[in-house]
Amino acid sequence: MRRFLVAAVCLVAAAVQAQPAPDPTAALPFDPAVRTGVLANGLRYYVRENHEPEGRAELRLAVNAGSVLETEDQRGLAHLLEHMAFNGTERFAEAELVRYLESVGTRFGPDLNAYTSFDETVYMLQVPTDSAAVFATGLDVLREWAGRIALADSAIERERGVVLEEWRLGQGAQERMRRVQFPVLYAGSRYAERLPIGLPEVIQHASPETIRAFYRDWYRPDLMAVVVVGDVDAAAVEQMIHARFDGFQPHESAPRRELFPVPFHDDTRVTVATDPEAPYSVVQFQFKQPMSRERTVADARVRLVENLFFGVLASRLGEIPRQPGAPFAASFAAAGGGLRTVDEATIVALANEAQIGEAVRVLATEAERARRYGVTETELERQKAETLRGLRSAAAERDNQPSRALAQTYVQAFLKDEPAVAPDEALMLGEAFLPGITLAEVNAVADEVVATDNRVVVVAAPQKDGLVVPDEAQIRAILAAVQTAEIAPYVDAVSDEPLVETPPAAGRITNETTDAALGTTTWTLSNGATVVLKPTAFKADEVVLQATSPGGLSLLSDADLIAAGGAAGYVYQSGVGTFDDVALEKKLAGQIVSLQPVISGETEGFSGRAAPADLETLFQLVYLYTTAPRRDEPAFRAALDQTRTFLANQAADPSAAFSDTLGVTLASYNPRNRTLSQYLAGLDQADLDRSFAFYQDRFADASDFTFVLVGAFTPEAVRPLVETYLASLPATNRVETARDILITPPPGVVEKTVYAGTAPQAQVAVVFHGPMPDADDRAARVRFHAMADVLAKMLREELREDRGGVYGVGARPVITRDPVGQYQLRIDFGADPARVDELVAAVFERVEALKDGQASPAHLAAYQEQQRRARETNVQENRFWLSVLAEAARRDESAATFLTDADLAAALTQADIAAEARQFLDTGRYVRVTRLPVAE
């Protein structure tokens, strides 16, 4: 295929570079920080010492087997088997595994989980490493999953219901349209008919022996890898893996692990799928290519060239929605793909439902424009700068990479049979290759990839009265017209103007205090603003910023909330100073910096981040968004168009009717809480003048702003930036607070039923609510959250594990402190409509059991350990400190109190939890909303 032509061009170009290039035939080296090996039985392992975060290890068992290997009578059993791994092994009885792991601080879901895809099944587990016994047990768990899952008949029967509920949750518009799309996308391939969720009749009726057969055939060492990344001794872990897995032997007559190709085609295929419940109109161009492996230096260069092209193409497509009347609101372009035997380059757009055909035309035109004329020199250089900056940042953070991300990298290396290249090596290759990559090479990618053969055009859209969706013939006509149309080359408009023409006259720091315990420095500026600084060493190339000031949307009347409530978003999409949004993005290319103005319910401010080298740009953006926001009519209209496109058909989603009903009911129909349709209608009242005036007012006075900066900097390094760009901000020294807007749920018991959707799904929410006079007391908030967590664990055991009636159930606590203390505890689950009453009754039974002190002590103990463990990792995160320091400043509280949650939780007793339930789970005061399907 044409890929080989590109590779040849790359090799020739590499040979003529001025400096010696890496040997293109050399194999890419695996990250030397990783210990890798293969046991005699074929099992691979990857072990790496890593201290981000300290005291934790990420464990993975990757199985090179997924749904594509299922026989006809096994469709869905790869996924069911994944579920069964948590329901009993030779060592751990049913429910004992999850309970044990929760008892040592592992959270079910975030830290203990698994997934099944077409080609693989991956088990994920995080464990603490400060206990040798706990860590060793974590490795034991991997061995249990690998070959000792119990698969008891009784456990299988119970878990069928859980998997069926997961299948049920997936039913709806997307699934129905996928049935139309996949046979075209992957025609002639097993991928078209082996979705991992499987068939409900197989899940429900397959014999236990059929499940065991899949386990014996495919869970075997030659198809497995063990990954361990964390705060460990790698040499010791290597020996522990040998001790556990050396004796693991495969089933004697195990079948061969086949790969299933996706056939190529020399034409363009088209599929159009519509559904009455589809929430979006999506247009996607998918370009199939032979599967490539990135194993040699030459392969890495080819991939780099491809990524440069798609980066430029994505930037071009991203400019289009920023113009009024654009046919789509968002777009995406990238090379690569998720299947094992084919690469899939993709261009996708979220289309305006009235302009689906035009969206097809514009995407096809941009692809054809790139194919005919390629990219420009300035675009390529900008993309090179972006790529190189990203590589340098990754290399700078080589010692700060999260263990979770590294573990996933090594899992993918195993599954793709490719090396995981170290950041330093990737940077070296980038620095060697990028200067010599030519326009001709990058433009060859367009001719190779963005072509009319092996192309599939996918349209998914709502089905409703008055909406005309182009059919296959009409789409083919659009594509044919683009092929013969006159298309002008792309013009890359760039500005050489500086971001800030003349720096402002600097203010000064008038007061400085330090908190040695927290490691913070606080400055008071001459304009009254406050700056809180916390230098950290968690990341080498990251600084995060948050700024807040009281007021926010609360200062708008109900009418003005509609007219001006989107002010911050409109200004953000308009650019800043002399740069519109597109020009600003180009100006910032090659830097790691972003800043967004935010106006929320009770505050206004900024949220941003930057690399240390780009901090001045971050401060300049704060200065410009404060003193030189843009009033841009076209950007305003484009922003409204984008919002309309996002929301146009959201109400067709059955879940929207459920959420709307629950939201307005809990708000007692307060006009500041609007349904989707009300919000959409309100866009017609949006007013640029009022929005811009409101934005200017909110950012007119810096005297009550608090800026928090956390990350890789020193106070002395940022002092001149703070004095120049923050202390110079205008200040009127007004005194204001957020306006009290009290929104309370209705009294008593309110139960509503919503009929929406045709799939056999039900949604249920039960929300307990009421006043919380001691909401400002941190201990009270910890007690409430602990009670909610214990209830959630009780509900999971009852509704999921014992009854097999739900896939997941949550009990989410919310406490609001302004203007008065209030609480909500929301219990959510999806279920079979025929079982709703049974499951709701079970919820209330568990609530009463909690009040009576019948909760298992293990649940509270698990919560207490999870809180202790969470604190250990949270204090190693820049964004945790950013949030804590900003909230402490806003509340005028000591940030140290935010670190006491684990201690407060540790002091709780079973009696405390029962008392909390009796106080707050009042069965005479709640809102219940149930969604049931529309009767056919």
Side-chain angles (χ1 to χ4, degrees):
M1 302 287 280
R2 285 186 295 266
R3 175 178 297 275
F4 300 112
L5 181 61
V6 175
V9 172
C10 291
L11 293 177
V12 171
V16 299
Q17 289 185 58
Q19 61 182 21
D23 178 3
T25 64
L28 287 171
F30 208 103
D31 187 343
V34 186
R35 283 178 177 256
T36 64
V38 183
L39 304 185
N41 56 23
L43 182 139
R44 295 181 179 272
Y45 62 84
Y46 305 79
V47 181
R48 172 167 177 170
E49 297 181 25
N50 191 63
H51 305 288
E52 179 60 37
E54 295 178 352
R56 295 292 183 278
E58 296 288 340
L59 312 183
R60 301 290 183 269
L61 177 70
V63 185
N64 184 17
S67 62
V68 77
L69 296 172
E70 294 168 344
T71 58
E72 193 65 27
D73 64 344
Q74 292 176 331
R75 292 177 63 177
L77 298 193
H79 179 229
L80 176 56
L81 178 57
E82 171 224 307
H83 275 245
M84 293 306 303
F86 299 88
N87 281 278
T89 69
E90 291 182 14
R91 174 172 172 179
F92 296 96
E94 293 179 33
E96 184 183 331
L97 174 61
V98 173
R99 283 193 176 183
Y100 167 76
L101 291 170
E102 286 187 330
S103 75
V104 298
T106 299
R107 299 164 299 167
F108 186 64
D111 304 327
L112 173 63
N113 216 323
Y115 73 84
T116 303
S117 71
F118 285 113
D119 280 298
E120 72 260 13
T121 307
V122 178
Y123 297 89
M124 301 166 283
L125 171 62
Q126 184 194 85
V127 293
T129 58
D130 54 3
S131 165
V134 170
F135 175 73
T137 302
L139 284 178
D140 291 342
V141 169
L142 297 192
R143 179 60 184 90
E144 295 289 295
W145 285 338
R148 297 169 178 163
I149 301 175
L151 296 176
D153 288 7
S154 58
I156 290 172
E157 292 308 312
R158 280 194 299 275
E159 198 63 23
R160 291 184 201 270
V162 176
V163 177
L164 283 169
E165 290 310 313
E166 186 175 357
W167 169 87
R168 190 186 309 280
L169 287 174
Q171 299 307 293
Q174 299 302 324
E175 192 275 338
R176 290 190 291 266
M177 291 190 293
R178 203 160 35 229
R179 290 183 209 156
V180 175
Q181 296 163 349
F182 271 42
V184 178
L185 275 168
Y186 305 120
S189 166
R190 206 161 183 174
Y191 291 103
E193 58 185 28
R194 286 292 189 276
L195 288 173
I197 195 61
L199 300 177
E201 57 270 25
V202 174
I203 297 167
Q204 192 164 16
H205 300 299
S207 71
E209 183 52 39
T210 307
I211 300 171
R212 294 174 190 128
F214 188 92
Y215 188 42
R216 285 194 304 270
D217 285 346
W218 303 115
Y219 277 55
R220 61 195 207 218
D222 58 306
L223 295 180
M224 288 184 175
V226 170
V227 177
V228 179
V229 182
D231 199 355
V232 298
D233 179 331
V237 171
E238 190 173 20
Q239 293 305 310
M240 295 172 77
I241 291 172
H242 275 281
R244 284 160 178 78
F245 289 92
D246 274 344
F248 180 24
Q249 297 300 324
H251 182 52
E252 292 182 0
S253 57
R256 185 171 64 90
R257 198 325 185 173
E258 294 184 52
L259 294 177
F260 298 93
V262 176
F264 292 99
H265 43 94
D266 58 6
D267 61 350
T268 293
R269 294 175 177 171
V270 177
T271 172
V272 179
T274 62
D275 193 276
E277 297 173 12
Y280 301 115
S281 298
V282 177
V283 175
Q284 175 179 329
F285 283 50
Q286 191 160 304
F287 305 90
K288 298 174 187 172
Q289 294 200 286
M291 171 58 67
S292 62
R293 296 280 187 265
E294 195 171 344
R295 294 169 175 163
T296 68
V297 168
D299 296 335
R301 195 174 191 280
V302 170
R303 187 66 56 86
L304 189 59
V305 173
E306 289 177 343
N307 288 338
L308 288 171
F309 169 75
F310 276 97
V312 171
L313 183 58
S315 295
R316 286 188 183 182
L317 292 172
E319 294 180 15
I320 295 170
R322 298 168 181 175
Q323 302 302 317
F328 51 84
S331 62
F332 172 79
L339 300 187
R340 190 67 59 84
T341 57
V342 66
D343 278 345
E344 300 168 292
T346 301
I347 303 172
V348 62
L350 180 65
N352 182 325
E353 66 178 27
Q355 296 177 281
I356 295 172
E358 179 64 6
V360 172
R361 188 194 68 78
V362 171
L363 289 186
T365 298
E366 291 309 313
E368 180 63 15
R369 192 193 315 276
R371 192 191 67 79
R372 290 186 194 179
Y373 304 109
V375 306
T376 67
E377 188 73 50
T378 51
E379 287 178 297
L380 177 56
E381 290 308 309
R382 198 161 54 242
Q383 194 60 42
K384 285 182 179 181
E386 287 278 272
T387 301
L388 189 57
R389 187 65 186 87
L391 291 171
R392 285 175 174 162
S393 181
E397 300 289 8
R398 61 187 174 276
D399 296 327
N400 302 312
Q401 299 174 84
S403 293
R404 183 163 295 181
L406 288 170
Q408 183 61 20
T409 295
Y410 305 142
V411 167
Q412 290 303 309
F414 163 68
L415 295 171
K416 294 180 179 180
D417 194 20
E418 295 179 346
V421 178
D424 286 344
E425 180 72 18
L427 174 59
M428 184 196 74
L429 293 173
E431 289 177 333
F433 287 145
L434 282 167
I437 292 175
T438 66
L439 274 175
E441 293 177 78
V442 175
N443 293 338
V445 174
D447 188 52
E448 173 197 4
V449 177
V450 186
T452 57
D453 60 340
N454 293 312
R455 178 174 68 171
V456 182
V457 178
V458 180
V459 172
Q463 182 185 104
K464 62 182 181 180
D465 293 341
L467 177 59
V468 178
V469 179
D471 60 21
E472 179 180 343
Q474 291 169 320
I475 291 172
R476 289 191 180 279
I478 293 170
L479 298 174
V482 168
Q483 291 301 115
T484 58
E486 292 186 11
I487 301 173
Y490 175 83
V491 177
D492 188 26
V494 293
S495 172
D496 293 330
E497 293 183 31
L499 201 57
V500 176
E501 183 70 36
T502 303
R508 67 187 192 283
I509 296 168
T510 61
N511 189 53
E512 176 177 317
T513 61
T514 60
D515 186 321
L518 291 174
T520 60
T521 298
T522 301
W523 290 336
T524 302
L525 307 185
S526 53
N527 59 2
T530 301
V531 180
V532 181
L533 309 167
K534 181 173 175 60
T536 70
F538 307 138
K539 295 285 185 183
D541 209 35
E542 179 182 83
V543 180
V544 290
L545 175 144
Q546 186 172 328
T548 56
S549 164
L553 297 174
S554 73
L555 301 184
L556 286 173
S557 67
D558 292 349
D560 280 343
L561 185 65
I562 297 175
Y570 303 145
V571 169
Y572 179 64
Q573 291 188 244
S574 297
V576 69
T578 61
F579 295 85
D580 65 21
D581 194 27
V582 173
L584 180 63
E585 184 175 286
K586 293 178 179 180
K587 185 67 178 178
L588 300 180
Q591 300 186 65
I592 297 178
V593 61
S594 63
L595 183 82
Q596 183 168 358
V598 178
I599 304 178
S600 59
E602 296 174 338
T603 64
E604 60 274 341
F606 298 102
S607 177
R609 66 180 293 268
D614 303 315
L615 270 176
E616 182 167 12
T617 302
L618 180 68
F619 282 97
Q620 288 177 333
L621 289 172
V622 171
Y623 175 77
L624 290 171
Y625 273 119
T626 303
T627 63
R630 288 172 58 87
R631 183 193 180 283
D632 190 320
E633 178 75 33
F636 171 72
R637 288 188 284 115
L640 291 179
D641 287 345
Q642 286 179 280
T643 305
R644 289 189 181 100
T645 298
F646 277 113
L647 298 180
N649 211 55
Q650 283 290 294
D653 185 337
S655 294
F658 173 79
S659 298
D660 280 349
T661 301
L662 183 62
V664 297
T665 302
L666 286 170
S668 297
Y669 293 88
N670 188 292
R672 298 181 80 89
N673 187 297
R674 289 173 286 164
T675 65
L676 275 172
S677 57
Q678 289 171 333
Y679 186 87
L680 184 59
L683 290 176
D684 293 336
Q685 301 173 48
D687 183 280
L688 177 57
D689 288 332
R690 292 164 80 180
S691 296
F692 194 69
F694 178 62
Y695 180 92
Q696 288 181 305
D697 174 70
R698 288 298 79 219
F699 291 87
D701 181 15
S703 67
D704 61 359
F705 267 77
T706 298
F707 296 87
V708 180
L709 203 69
V710 179
F713 66 90
T714 64
E716 288 312 305
V718 299
R719 179 183 291 269
L721 300 177
V722 168
E723 291 178 329
T724 300
Y725 296 108
L726 300 187
S728 64
L729 294 176
T732 61
N733 297 303
R734 63 190 178 190
V735 178
E736 63 181 3
T737 59
R739 181 165 65 98
D740 289 347
I741 298 175
L742 182 61
I743 299 176
T744 58
V749 174
V750 178
E751 296 187 337
K752 295 184 177 181
T753 301
V754 177
Y755 294 92
T758 58
Q761 300 171 328
Q763 278 181 280
V764 179
V766 178
V767 185
F768 294 95
H769 60 82
M772 190 173 189
D774 55 354
D776 285 330
D777 179 56
R778 193 156 198 93
R781 298 199 298 274
V782 169
R783 283 197 306 273
F784 185 75
H785 280 79
M787 181 269 291
D789 189 83
V790 170
L791 178 59
K793 289 178 168 66
M794 294 174 68
L795 293 175
R796 184 190 72 211
E797 290 187 348
E798 178 69 25
L799 272 63
R800 175 179 164 131
E801 296 172 13
D802 292 345
R803 296 177 183 262
V806 302
Y807 173 61
V809 57
R812 182 165 60 92
V814 175
I815 298 173
T816 56
R817 300 167 65 184
D818 301 311
V820 297
Q822 298 183 83
Y823 74 90
Q824 291 184 7
L825 193 151
R826 175 173 169 173
I827 299 167
D828 280 283
F829 61 88
D832 182 343
R835 299 189 66 184
V836 165
D837 291 342
E838 169 208 342
L839 297 171
V840 169
V843 167
F844 282 95
E845 288 172 5
R846 292 293 84 198
V847 166
E848 293 305 316
L850 183 61
K851 293 179 182 180
D852 291 342
Q854 297 178 29
S856 167
H859 293 330
L860 175 58
Y863 175 76
Q864 292 167 324
E865 184 66 7
Q866 287 164 350
Q867 288 297 104
R868 185 176 76 86
R869 294 299 188 179
R871 181 171 60 186
E872 290 176 352
T873 55
N874 285 342
V875 296
Q876 302 176 52
E877 296 288 340
N878 284 333
R879 291 203 174 273
F880 170 78
W881 283 107
L882 184 73
S883 173
V884 162
L885 294 171
E887 182 66 8
R890 187 170 86 86
R891 297 284 181 184
D892 194 24
E893 297 175 353
S894 169
T897 63
F898 287 73
L899 306 179
T900 62
D901 288 5
D903 299 325
L904 294 169
L908 295 175
T909 66
Q910 290 290 100
D912 292 328
I913 299 302
E916 198 78 0
R918 288 192 293 270
Q919 179 178 356
F920 293 110
L921 302 185
D922 183 352
T923 54
R925 186 177 60 221
Y926 66 86
V927 169
R928 170 187 164 187
V929 174
T930 303
R931 177 179 70 83
L932 297 175
V934 176
E936 296 184 1

